[in-house]
Amino acid sequence: DVGCTDVLCCVIFVIVILGYIVLGTVAWMHGDPRKVVYPTDSYGQFCGQQGTPNANKAILFYFNILQCANPTVLINLQCPTTQLCVSKCPDRFATYIDMQYNYRRNKSYWDYYKLFCKPGFNNPDKPVSQVLQNEDCPSMIVPSRPFLQRCFPDFITRNGTLTVANKTSFKDGHGKIRSVVDLRDAANGITSLLDAKEVGVKIFEDYASSWFWILIGLVISMLVSLIFILLLRFTAGVLFWMVIFGVIAAVGYGIWHCYWEYSSLKGKPDSDITISDIGFQTDFRVYLQLRQTWLIFMISLAVIEAIIILVLIFLRNRVRIAIALLKEGSKAIGCIMSTLFYPIITFLLLALCIAYWAVTAVFLASSGDAVYKVMSTLPDCKYTNLTCDPETFSQSNVTKLCPGSQCTFAFYGGESLYHRYIFVLQLCNLLVFLWLVNFTIALGQCTLAGAFASYYWALRKPADIPPCPLASSFGRALRYHTGSLAFGALILSIVQFIRIILEYLDHKLKGAHNAFTRFLLCCLKCCFWCLEHFIKFMNRNAYIMISVYGKNFCASARDAFFLLMRNVMRVAVLDKVTDFLLFLGKLLISGSVGVLAFFFFTRQIPVIQEEVPSLNYYWVPLLTVIFGSYMIAQGFFNVYAMCVDTLFLCFCEDLERNDGSPSKPYYMPPGLHRILNKTDQGGKKYAVS
């Protein structure tokens, strides 16, 4: 009888989803992503925001970039100098003193310079000392270009010498001659970022001209993956044994080579020195001159060879079962081809979850009002980082006690209950996101398991397979087992959430010298990594049992665990054989498509040489095709792995529930019958553990 499982968890899951929608709505009402997109001036106003005086001023200009220590300070808007929105960056060297001197002869000097002064200031005759003290205008401007919507000096290296507009020095507006190296120190790393931007533009151009051929490469990899899975029905055994004997031969050759090197070094000077005598050497070739090194290699390879041979001798029946299940998995996929395309649904659902989480996180991060803090160049200013009001700051004592200090926009925040718990809401956003992602994956696993279980438990295959097995399984999973899937996903999400927090703490404690704390944190990270992988393994098998029997999560997990423990050797062999063959398939597909793409994009295929687009970097589409092919193969082979795992659990259940008699016939395919020496006539049952 099919009934709803883990109803309480289902109700909680639905309530959490509704709460998540409310959280997103509240964040949308309070947040403003423009705070993340647009740079903000010293008054908390966006540069380039439509409907404001800054609508046509999309670039941020720094009055005195020499006050800025490094690019991260600039990008985080924590530079202790006035920041102003401008329509374009300056294109010349100039100082306010020179401008005021030349203005009397030519008014155009002031018309240009005032573009970089505070809005509304139009008094070029005002004394220089007062202008610079009130920061009405910058003391100097330097040729700049926009990067990340901010004006940075236009550095150019000529003959190994750093220059700005062909100059190596400039006036700072305070009567001093400064080197452009000072500008570089103030904006350290910007030149490499500008180069990165140029590379980014070229990469974008390459994608624009080669996207069609990249798409063709990915379609080819999809077809090859499909053919590979269908061919495993006939080639799984041959492929596995070829690889195994290839490995045995390779290891055997390694043993012979080590023995030959060991013998050839006999009698040579210094070859009998031990590794411990020479200690640690950075040049590894030193060790290759020692007989002891080759002896260790030879013994290690001999042990590996012996283990492989013994495993094949004593576990040969289990290996044959694994290969038979791999072949049967290919048959099952051949009967239910729609399962190969189910990962597209999973991908779309995951994309929806990621998009919603990212948008909510951005709106939460951009919630709040502008907060201003005192920024000072003086190291001993006690008011530094205290909040301030830019409207009244010039009349406060801070400007007298800390000359040159600024009341600069720092971040967006607030004192309301909502603003105080922004960080907690971000953590909630992350936890629910993990829960939804794991639920989506669980839904896919349970759906596929249900479809493949319907194949196994059909007595006559494929005649007895129910119609539309995948759609039916998807409907059952959603209708009856949402609570169980949500329960399993929640357990995994909590462990992943703790792991993220531990990683965050580890990042924060990088500079800590407390060895015990670092050791404890490392142990915790290791334990939770193991726990996460164990829970993933158990959840996967629990979802298979849920799809077969329709029990709740705990009962299914318990049944799956004890069933696996009773067949632990089969589990180990099947798991490794499957992983090995599928990994081989992924490498084969991505590698072959990658080689084809390499010959194509490097114009080494004469027939279609003229069709190849001109590229800045041929490795851009090449790496995209290789990575995309691997991910496509991963999607197809995950379905195949789920199929084999489902058939294996059903096979173990079949062995325990049935005895091959007419009243209790086996549902396993004939291939597995022959391997296990089973009979459908109720004859003697030979146990193969």
Side-chain angles (χ1 to χ4, degrees), residues 34 41 45-57 85:
R34 291 174 302 182
D41 64 15
Q45 297 172 336
F46 303 129
C47 297
Q49 182 183 353
Q50 297 300 316
T52 69
N54 290 335
N56 298 319
K57 300 177 180 179
C85 297

Side-chain angles (χ1 to χ4, degrees), residues 286-341:
V286 174
Y287 297 105
L288 299 182
Q289 306 302 318
L290 306 179
R291 296 187 76 202
Q292 189 184 53
T293 303
W294 293 106
L295 181 63
I296 292 171
F297 284 165
M298 183 171 64
I299 294 171
S300 301
L301 289 174
V303 170
I304 292 170
E305 186 89 328
I307 289 172
I308 293 173
I309 293 170
L310 288 173
V311 165
L312 288 176
I313 291 172
F314 291 104
L315 300 179
R316 62 187 182 280
N317 283 333
R318 296 183 180 88
V319 171
R320 291 170 65 199
I321 293 170
I323 293 171
L325 280 168
L326 287 168
K327 292 179 180 177
E328 196 61 28
S330 190
K331 289 181 185 176
I333 288 175
C335 293
I336 317 173
M337 288 288 287
S338 57
T339 53
L340 284 173
F341 302 98

Side-chain angles (χ1 to χ4, degrees), residues 156-173:
I156 298 173
T157 303
R158 295 185 183 278
N159 299 323
T161 304
L162 188 70
T163 65
V164 174
N166 292 328
K167 291 189 177 183
T168 57
S169 61
F170 63 97
K171 297 177 182 177
D172 68 355

